[in-house]
Amino acid sequence: MSEQKDYSKTVNLPNTNFQMKANLSQREPSFVKEWNETKLYEKLCVKNRDKEKFIFHDGPPYANAHIHIGTALNKVLKDFIIKYRSMSGNYVPFTPGWDCHGLPIEQLALKELNTDKNKVDKLVFRKQAANFARKFVEIQKSEFQRFGILADWDNPYLTLDPKYESSIVKVFGDLVKEGFIYRRKKPVYWCPTCETAMADAEVEYADHSSDSIFVKFKILSVPNILKAKESLLKNFSVLIWTTTPWTLPSNVALAFNEKLDYALVTYKMEDGRKENLVVAKALVENVKNKIKALDYKILMESKGIDFVNIKCQNPLLEYKQSQGIVAEFVSMEDGTGIVHIAPGHGPEDYQAGLEYGLEILSPINGKGLYTKEVTELENIYIFKANPIIIEKLEKEGKILAKFKMEHSYPHCWRCKKPIIFRATPQWFLSVDRNELREELLNSVKDVNWIPKYSENRINSMLHSRPDWCLSRQRLWGVPIPVFYCKECGEPLVNPEIINKIAILFGQKGSDSWFEMSEEELLANTNATCSVCQSSSFLKEEDILDVWFDSGVSYEAVLSSGNYKDLEFPADLYLEGSDQHRGWFQTSLIPSVALKGTAPYKNVLTNGFVVDGHGRKMSKSTCNGISSEELISKYGADIVRLWIASSDYKEDIRISDEIIKGLSDSYRKVRNTLRFLLGNLGDFRLDKSLTFENMQEIDTYALSKLQHLISVVSSSYESYEFHKAATAINNFCAVFLSGFYLDVLKDILYCNKKDSIERASAQSAMFIICSIIIRLVAPILSFTCEEAFKELKRIDPSLPESVFLSDFPVENSKFILQSEILNKWNKILDVRSELLSVYEKLRQEKVIGSNLEAALEITYGKKYLDFFSDKSLVSLVLGSWDIKLKQSNNEEDLVIKARKSEYKKCARCWKHIDNIVEDLCTRCSEAIK
């Protein structure tokens, strides 16, 4: 018997430089280098400059550390949009920005100098802080570029740039001119550790254990309405409940609810003594349980309004008195129904204090230590004073109950320590001046919020937000451009002088405030005090809130003309969901106040990155994952795919297991591209067939492709990237790999190179490959650039980068008629049925390959349009030993399978009739 010839070298094997193994972490940096050297972003702008603009404004991250995975998530999402919009024909000038002032940078710069803010030379420090911020701008810039993000990296906006600082002061001056800025002593969030006032957006809530006490305020005198019962009342005390014993030295009032009933109750205690107390009637029983009384008797009842102007003795400082008032915020949920009021330590207390003209006491310094106003506690830290206060009150019998209370308590976002309310003179932006709050709420309605429920979130925050405290007692920031009279202390807040300072900062930077004297700063202004006419002034030492810096970016970046081709308002802001109380809000307030409209048309938010168990990432739980670590291990494209595959509008989970799972999805797309490119290795574009001349299976694939284009485009448009990623992955894995390309293998490998069937398949595959590369390019940027370069070998007329090509659009000429599509739906149904039959035969060891199977198929009229074409049936079903029989039953489809008795072609491995000298007829012709 003659030995069978080796025909392996006669088949059309795939040929491509696009490797199966991605080696992303090694290969990607070369693309970053190339994009920088070829100035890809600039070329993209030139290509689209005359097209419709899409203004996408970048929110500035802090330039204080390496980027973390949450920062990467946000920037990569932005990159999806930039690339999709740019490829779709929009001009998207994207200027990245950085927040370069503020406490995070200040603390790290002070640490580098090994000093604190009270000892350092201000100018020396500010230069150190600026250098620190610029260093991390460059570090983060490089890290963002490593993710494949395109932007105007050579011309970012930095909040420390003189032109930006000038805009900050200009906006402040405009707000002064319109009457929005005022100075007042009122309680604000204060961090004793960082020694500064804080914005709402800088406050985090965490579990905290507080000292909770029930304290007696002895009644000294009663208002006229209760005079008849004065002798009875003088034996009573008003009982209050507080979780802040340290605020008792600042108490000036006791608040009742005017409409509710209060009772004079005698409680019988376990030791036999009696306690005569005023408490809310609804809470009499609750108080009994808290103070562990055995029994009680109500002697009298009266409305809360009757207790206005009652006088009580401060239990801690007996020389001080506390007066009765009424307030709506007094509730019956817990405690005694009577609230201890310290206007210097709480916003509700402060408002009540304004209404009744109460003294605003805050005997606490910036470090949280008592001042000499409370001699007994002078220089003691407030939280350390709690046990001292409690011990003193217990000895005097003024505490009836004490316990520890675990609850959510405000903490500093930076140092993570508990914070307080502290009344100090601060500068504020009024959100109620000129009906601003109402305008803010109306402007929210004109913005498209994505997801929609985020509109409710910012609405509720704007409804309840207090005036914006703008001043900070720190060093690293833009100085508040006001002066104080040396003689009487009156502030000099003059819009014209502020504008002069803005121009100065634009020329020399904000350091000039510290370099120049008051006389130099006020030269040629004829400034005099409006109260005492003195012309001697002192500079303000506070700086502006860093949120004001970034909040005015709509002016500094979009409106100023300082950054190329940007305009106001922006089409889109995209940041984390925490920015409803941060940048979205701090941008909205000055913009609506001065321009009458929101600075954005659309606002999109992303959730936070959490670990695989859904837990927040933190140093304490050691569950953080660095972006550098992920890129090094998996490559940036895998991380980009993780982001694209997630519903980022909610919190996103990440773990090695999740990333490994996505690596499988990535491989399906990459291997599909590799198969397409490999089988186009010998394809000549000038030999491609038109759609009309292609085989029907190829026109069907192109028709299916149009649906994919539609789904992916609408998903990008609606920012639902996970839907785009899923659609592309399914098309590659299920339709292409699972059907179309699997079916084509016989034609591609074994047909004559120039056969019409092979030319048709390659013509369709070239279109499919080109479109898939461009569809997925915004997500898998590095992989698609690599694949596009391979495609360019076939078509040298293609642009140098995939991002300079156009995003695919649906081609209606490629959409087949519904009857043809219905036919192919039936074909896929038949193939699906048959695959399970093949699998059973393989499990039973009857066949090793589908090509070995012989089929007997009985079909109904429903399938007539398919089974009437025997060559198509064999191609699609993968068997060339098929007997067909038509049934009279419409729905019949009966498939019987066995091992074929036909010989196997030594070249294509089909089991087929008419094998001559080991080859089928087709293969004999192909090798001639």
Side-chain angles (χ1 to χ4, degrees), residues 225-243:
I225 196 168
L226 295 175
K227 277 291 182 184
K229 300 292 184 179
E230 184 169 16
S231 59
L232 173 64
L233 281 161
K234 280 196 173 182
N235 294 318
F236 275 73
S237 296
V238 174
L239 188 68
I240 65 97
W241 169 58
T242 182
T243 57

Side-chain angles (χ1 to χ4, degrees), residues 2-21:
S2 60
E3 190 176 317
Q4 197 175 66
K5 291 181 181 178
D6 180 9
Y7 292 100
S8 62
K9 292 182 180 177
T10 70
V11 296
N12 310 311
L13 294 175
N15 179 28
T16 179
N17 292 323
F18 189 78
Q19 299 299 312
M20 181 184 292
K21 189 171 175 60

